[in-house]
Amino acid sequence: MEIEEIRLKDFRCFYGESTISFSGDPERNVTIIYAENGVGKTTLLNALLWCFYGQTTARFEKSEDILNYDAKAEGRMIASVEVRFEHNGSRYVAKRFQRSGATGASEKPFRVARLEAGSQIYDIEPEDTFINTVIPREMAGHFLFDGEHAEIFLGEQNRAAIRDAVRDILGCTLIETAIEDLEAISKAFRRQMPGTGHSTQITDLNNLIDTINTQIDQSKDLIAQNELQRRSVEDQITDIEDKLRNTAQAKGLQGERDSLQGQMVRAERRRSEQEDDVLKWLGDEGRFIVSRRLTEEAFEFIDSEEHRGRIPSPYNEEFVRDLLHDETCICGAHIAPGSEIARKVASLLNHAANQAMRDRVTKVRGRLTNLKAGRAKAPERLMAAKRSLAHTNEEIGFIEARLADVSAKLKGVNFGDIAERESRREELRKELSTLDRARGTLEENLKTARHEVARHEREINLLAAQDVETRIFARRRALCEKIKGSLEVRLRDEEAQAKKVLRATIRKIIEATSRKNLTLQMSDDYVVSLRNADGIALPKSSGENQLLGLAFTAALVQFAKLRKGAQDMSLLPGTIAPLVLDSPFGQLDRVYRSATAEFIPRMASQVVLLLSQSQAADEVMEKLQGRIGKQYVLVRHNKGERGLKHIETRQFGHEIIETTLFEASFDGTSIVEVQ
């Protein structure tokens, strides 16, 4: 999809009719719209979203109040947005309007027409379905992107937003709806098992399962609320730490604390490993110590009995049998079979030692020798492990003392509300720990409840197997569960594949743009972090979060492009669409702005940038030169007098445009193209 033109009529701050034509040149694929805060950048982004889907972003206040105030005062009643675009080789126009007051029964607020030979052909129905094939509603928010809040979207623990974004680009709506429907059908089949012989038992089990499922739903809701609370607390902590970090007098102390916290993580990891070593010693070598008395007494007994000729025995079994076989004593006397002498010789077999007994005595002596040798070496190994653990504990104690000292210094800083922020940060961390403990309890309860449901369902299946009529519903339910399970596995596999692609793309962008030698990590549960060479997750600045957010958006757009031709009945195909970025450089410093401006034109085949003067800095424009196809300026009109207000202008080459006008005929915004 490529946007050709947008036309606004009395839409919010845009009084009268205003038009913007977007660049369609593949080499100069960037259209820039310059405007200061409050003049209309965010309104333009929302005009596109509203035209296609009838919705706006969360930050678009009073979203139901669309009609321009001056137009309404003059008696005009209709606000509209019209977008002309190309898709798959054909041209279309989409138009949405809102009428103030009563709406005619025959009026359709949204229409889409094909453009052919200058005519508009209205043969596309339903229009909403068609637009969803161009840019699926779920994906739209990632192409119409609010850059100022990129850092919030990519917050350290904002797993839900990232997971939703991945699922949006995958087009998971169909498969998720199917899973929900199958779950409902499976439940209905379970309730329809009459069970002639066991109807009461099945009914009781069904009621019990329904009760537990209600508890499961409540637990899920509580977990979701916990996640929202946790996210809110983390945002507050991040905000406080950013303010502490960016406060000039506290910057050094905050940096030292960041370093100490990194050292603490590494030291605690070493301590855990060393404690494991001590426990391992007890398992592997503790027997050497506790066997001391055993080995001493065993050796004393064996040595004594050997000396007395009792161990292994004064006679060998083989020797005695040889005498009886040869019928000759060692003295040469004859041993007649069955004689008294033969019986006496044979009686020696009762106490004679065979080879197995001699081997046992040898093994016992060998093991006792090993225990004795191990006992001599074991204490040193234990002492070495304890010395390492003591050294690490000492290091942790030192770090804790330094952290306490830094915290005390921050609390004692004599300016602003630094101390209050420090105290509030500690309170929030305690609140975070409380939420984590509550989350753990809820998840454990949820796990137990699911096991209970599974157990009761097995009981129902056993009862159902005993009745022909009941078995029919049991089989139908089993089929639903099987299909649902297959879809869930499919969804997990698709997500896993998507995460691999996104990780690779984001890493490539971060490596090219970040000034630090950092590695991106996105865990399986969507925790996004930047890690140093030691693998330590580092706190991200607002600028780094915004850069990461833009990189993530670029990865989503590229992934959607890769999936454009996907032939899949369960997932929506991807799409190619313009990328509209509102204030993408807001939190970036000079270096990051330059790096970001260089890769933004490559993020999509058509890029629209909504920039204030501060964001359109020299380093940004230098990188964008050669990629800009169209430029516009939003001009603010005011009915009132200028008074003491300064004249605001923007210069483009030799052209100077006044961007704030007074004593105008209306209050609102006009659009001026820059040549």
Side-chain angles (χ1 to χ4, degrees):
M1 176 209 186
E2 182 178 288
I3 298 179
E4 297 177 352
E5 183 179 86
I6 182 171
R7 297 181 182 179
L8 306 100
K9 183 175 181 180
D10 294 332
F11 182 82
R12 292 289 283 241
C13 63
F14 292 95
Y15 173 85
E17 294 189 14
S18 302
T19 302
I20 294 178
S21 296
F22 298 94
S23 175
D25 187 337
E27 297 300 321
R28 294 179 172 271
N29 65 323
V30 177
T31 298
I32 300 181
I33 300 168
Y34 304 96
E36 298 311 308
N37 293 336
V39 177
K41 296 193 305 297
T42 303
T43 300
L44 269 177
L45 182 144
N46 277 279
L48 287 166
L49 198 59
W50 183 78
C51 178
F52 285 139
Y53 308 104
Q55 65 186 43
T56 57
T57 62
R59 293 177 61 231
F60 195 60
E61 296 181 1
K62 297 183 179 179
S63 57
E64 73 288 345
D65 197 2
I66 296 296
L67 183 61
N68 178 270
Y69 293 141
D70 277 18
K72 187 175 183 179
E74 292 173 7
R76 297 204 290 270
M77 301 178 65
I78 297 176
S80 66
V81 176
E82 182 179 300
V83 179
R84 293 174 181 255
F85 61 94
E86 180 274 335
H87 180 62
N88 289 341
S90 299
R91 297 176 63 239
Y92 302 89
V93 58
K95 182 176 181 179
R96 186 179 297 274
F97 72 89
Q98 184 183 92
R99 180 184 295 275
S100 180
T103 302
S106 61
E107 288 184 311
K108 292 184 67 173
F110 180 57
R111 300 295 305 273
V112 178
R114 286 186 298 110
L115 298 175
E116 287 188 5
S119 300
Q120 296 185 5
I121 302 172
Y122 290 91
D123 60 354
I124 297 174
E125 289 190 1
E127 291 90 343
D128 291 338
T129 301
F130 171 72
I131 290 297
N132 266 289
T133 65
V134 178
I135 306 181
R137 181 188 296 265
E138 295 87 347
M139 302 181 190
H142 307 299
F143 290 94
L144 307 176
F145 191 70
D146 186 346
E148 284 187 342
H149 284 340
E151 70 276 11
I152 295 175
F153 173 68
L154 254 291
E156 184 72 23
Q157 299 295 330
N158 200 358
R159 298 185 290 270
I162 300 171
R163 181 197 63 228
D164 291 345
V166 173
R167 291 193 169 193
D168 287 346
I169 292 300
L170 274 173
C172 294
T173 306
L174 295 176
I175 197 168
E176 287 174 336
T177 302
I179 289 171
E180 290 175 4
D181 290 346
L182 285 166
E183 188 172 347
I185 295 169
S186 175
K187 181 179 178 181
F189 282 144
R190 174 169 58 78
R191 300 294 303 178
Q192 290 173 14
M193 294 182 186
T196 56
H198 305 280
S199 58
T200 302
Q201 290 174 269
I202 291 178
T203 299
D204 291 344
L205 286 169
N206 272 323
N207 292 336
L208 186 55
I209 288 173
D210 288 341
T211 300
I212 297 174
N213 279 332
T214 300
Q215 294 171 358
I216 287 174
D217 291 339
Q218 291 172 348
S219 294
K220 287 180 179 179
D221 290 341
L222 289 172
I223 288 173
Q225 292 173 22
N226 179 284
E227 179 68 20
L228 290 174
Q229 288 178 279
R230 197 180 196 286
R231 215 176 298 167
S232 173
V233 172
E234 283 174 339
D235 287 344
Q236 292 178 64
I237 291 174
T238 300
D239 181 60
I240 288 172
E241 290 187 339
D242 283 345
K243 287 175 180 175
L244 288 172
R245 194 176 293 109
N246 296 327
T247 302
Q249 296 184 44
K251 190 173 183 179
L253 291 171
Q254 183 66 21
E256 183 180 358
R257 179 163 62 188
D258 290 343
S259 175
L260 287 168
Q261 287 174 335
Q263 294 175 38
M264 179 67 80
V265 170
R266 292 190 292 274
E268 287 179 339
R269 186 186 301 157
R270 285 200 308 275
R271 179 167 66 180
S272 177
E273 292 170 352
Q274 290 159 356
E275 287 173 344
D276 288 342
D277 287 342
V278 173
L279 292 174
K280 186 179 178 183
W281 180 92
L282 290 171
D284 293 346
E285 307 197 42
R287 67 183 185 278
F288 295 129
I289 302 302
V290 299
S291 66
R292 177 176 180 178
R293 184 174 178 181
L294 171 64
T295 54
E296 288 177 352
E297 291 182 358
F299 266 126
E300 182 179 343
F301 175 80
I302 290 172
D303 291 340
S304 172
E305 292 301 303
E306 280 183 339
H307 180 70
R308 294 168 63 181
R310 295 181 180 178
I311 294 181
S313 176
Y315 310 107
N316 288 336
E317 180 179 305
E318 294 87 352
F319 174 73
V320 175
R321 293 190 185 280
D322 285 343
L323 291 177
L324 294 172
H325 180 269
D326 294 337
E327 298 181 4
T328 303
C329 179
I330 59 173
C331 65
H334 178 64
I335 302 174
S339 64
E340 183 64 25
I341 293 174
R343 285 194 297 274
K344 286 183 178 181
V345 172
S347 68
L348 295 176
L349 290 172
N350 296 330
H351 303 287
N354 57 23
Q355 185 61 42
M357 182 179 292
R358 291 197 298 275
D359 289 344
R360 288 192 192 114
V361 172
T362 302
K363 287 180 181 178
V364 168
R365 180 179 285 279
R367 288 179 180 175
L368 291 173
T369 301
N370 287 338
L371 285 172
K372 188 175 181 181
R375 186 172 69 247
K377 298 177 182 178
E380 178 53 32
R381 286 193 283 265
L382 177 61
M383 293 305 296
K386 284 189 172 181
R387 280 196 298 270
S388 297
L389 181 58
H391 182 269
T392 302
N393 281 328
E394 186 176 312
E395 181 184 351
I396 288 174
F398 172 79
I399 295 172
E400 286 176 340
R402 287 293 305 130
L403 281 170
D405 182 55
V406 169
S407 182
K409 287 179 180 178
L410 281 170
K411 288 180 180 178
V413 173
N414 189 23
F415 65 91
D417 57 352
I418 297 297
E420 183 180 341
R421 288 173 182 163
E422 183 70 17
S423 299
R424 177 59 179 157
R425 186 175 72 101
E426 296 307 315
E427 291 175 6
L428 288 168
R429 283 187 168 175
K430 290 178 183 177
E431 187 176 340
L432 206 58
S433 296
T434 301
L435 287 169
D436 284 341
R437 287 194 296 273
R439 172 70 172 264
T441 301
L442 286 169
E443 288 179 341
E444 190 60 34
N445 292 341
L446 192 61
K447 184 178 178 181
T448 301
R450 283 171 172 159
H451 283 314
E452 284 294 300
V453 168
R455 183 169 65 83
H456 293 319
E457 287 182 342
R458 286 193 297 271
E459 293 175 14
I460 288 178
N461 289 336
L462 289 173
L463 294 171
Q466 302 174 34
D467 181 78
V468 175
E469 188 177 357
T470 306
R471 280 201 299 271
I472 295 172
F473 294 101
R475 289 186 187 126
R476 291 174 180 173
R477 181 173 177 275
L479 180 60
C480 285
E481 290 295 321
K482 182 178 179 180
I483 297 171
K484 181 167 76 76
S486 298
L487 291 176
E488 288 170 342
V489 170
R490 171 72 190 284
L491 194 55
R492 285 196 297 271
D493 290 344
E494 291 290 344
E495 273 193 77
Q497 185 61 33
K499 280 185 279 191
K500 288 180 183 178
V501 175
L502 292 173
R503 284 190 190 110
T505 306
I506 298 170
R507 280 175 185 152
K508 186 176 179 180
I509 294 171
I510 292 298
E511 287 172 4
T513 55
S514 177
R515 61 162 60 92
K516 300 176 184 177
N517 186 20
L518 300 175
T519 301
L520 175 125
Q521 180 170 314
M522 184 168 72
S523 68
D524 289 338
D525 58 346
Y526 297 99
V527 175
V528 175
S529 60
L530 293 175
R531 297 180 178 269
N532 62 15
D534 295 327
I536 305 299
L538 302 179
K540 301 187 293 293
S541 66
S542 294
E544 285 171 331
N545 262 327
Q546 184 168 27
L547 179 63
L548 192 56
L550 288 168
F552 188 79
T553 300
L556 288 175
V557 171
Q558 290 181 31
F559 186 60
K561 183 177 180 180
L562 285 174
R563 294 194 66 259
K564 183 179 186 298
Q567 299 296 321
D568 196 315
M569 297 301 292
S570 56
L571 297 173
L572 293 174
T575 190
I576 298 175
L579 181 60
V580 182
L581 295 173
D582 181 5
S583 304
F585 306 107
Q587 303 292 333
L588 304 180
D589 62 22
R590 184 183 180 87
V591 174
Y592 279 167
R593 284 182 180 183
S594 177
T596 302
E598 188 170 9
F599 88 78
I600 274 181
R602 302 195 297 271
M603 289 175 70
S605 58
Q606 187 181 39
V607 178
V608 179
L609 298 179
L610 306 168
L611 304 177
S612 64
Q613 187 163 355
S614 62
Q615 291 179 34
D618 292 343
E619 62 273 9
V620 170
M621 302 311 297
E622 180 181 341
K623 294 295 183 182
L624 291 175
Q625 281 302 324
R627 301 303 299 268
I628 301 173
K630 293 272 190 178
Q631 297 182 88
Y632 296 87
V633 179
L634 302 187
V635 177
R636 174 65 190 179
H637 294 248
N638 301 281
K639 289 180 179 179
E641 298 179 352
R642 183 183 301 278
L644 299 177
K645 296 181 178 66
H646 296 292
I647 296 175
E648 296 182 17
T649 61
R650 296 210 53 169
Q651 184 169 354
F652 300 91
H654 298 294
E655 185 180 9
I656 297 176
I657 298 176
E658 192 169 349
T659 56
T660 306
L661 304 176
F662 293 87
E663 300 181 24
S665 59
F666 64 92
D667 283 322
T669 299
S670 64
I671 300 171
V672 177
E673 185 172 3
V674 178
Q675 301 298 328

Coordinates of all heavy atoms in Angstrom, one line a residue, residues 103-108:
T103 N -28.0 12.1 12.4 CA -27.5 11.5 11.2 C -28.6 10.9 10.4 O -29.5 10.2 11.0 CB -26.4 10.5 11.5 OG1 -25.4 11.1 12.3 CG2 -25.8 9.9 10.2
G104 N -28.7 11.1 9.1 CA -29.7 10.5 8.2 C -29.6 9.0 8.2 O -28.5 8.4 8.3
A105 N -30.7 8.3 8.1 CA -30.7 6.9 8.2 C -30.0 6.2 7.0 O -29.4 5.2 7.2 CB -32.2 6.4 8.2
S106 N -29.9 6.9 5.9 CA -29.3 6.3 4.7 C -27.8 6.7 4.6 O -27.1 6.2 3.7 CB -30.0 6.8 3.4 OG -29.9 8.2 3.3
E107 N -27.4 7.5 5.5 CA -26.0 8.0 5.4 C -25.0 6.9 5.9 O -25.2 6.3 6.9 CB -25.7 9.2 6.2 CG -26.4 10.5 5.6 CD -26.0 11.7 6.5 OE1 -26.2 11.6 7.7 OE2 -25.6 12.7 5.9
K108 N -23.9 6.7 5.1 CA -22.9 5.7 5.5 C -21.7 6.6 5.9 O -21.1 7.3 5.0 CB -22.5 4.8 4.4 CG -23.7 3.8 4.1 CD -23.2 2.8 3.0 CE -22.1 1.9 3.5 NZ -21.8 0.8 2.5

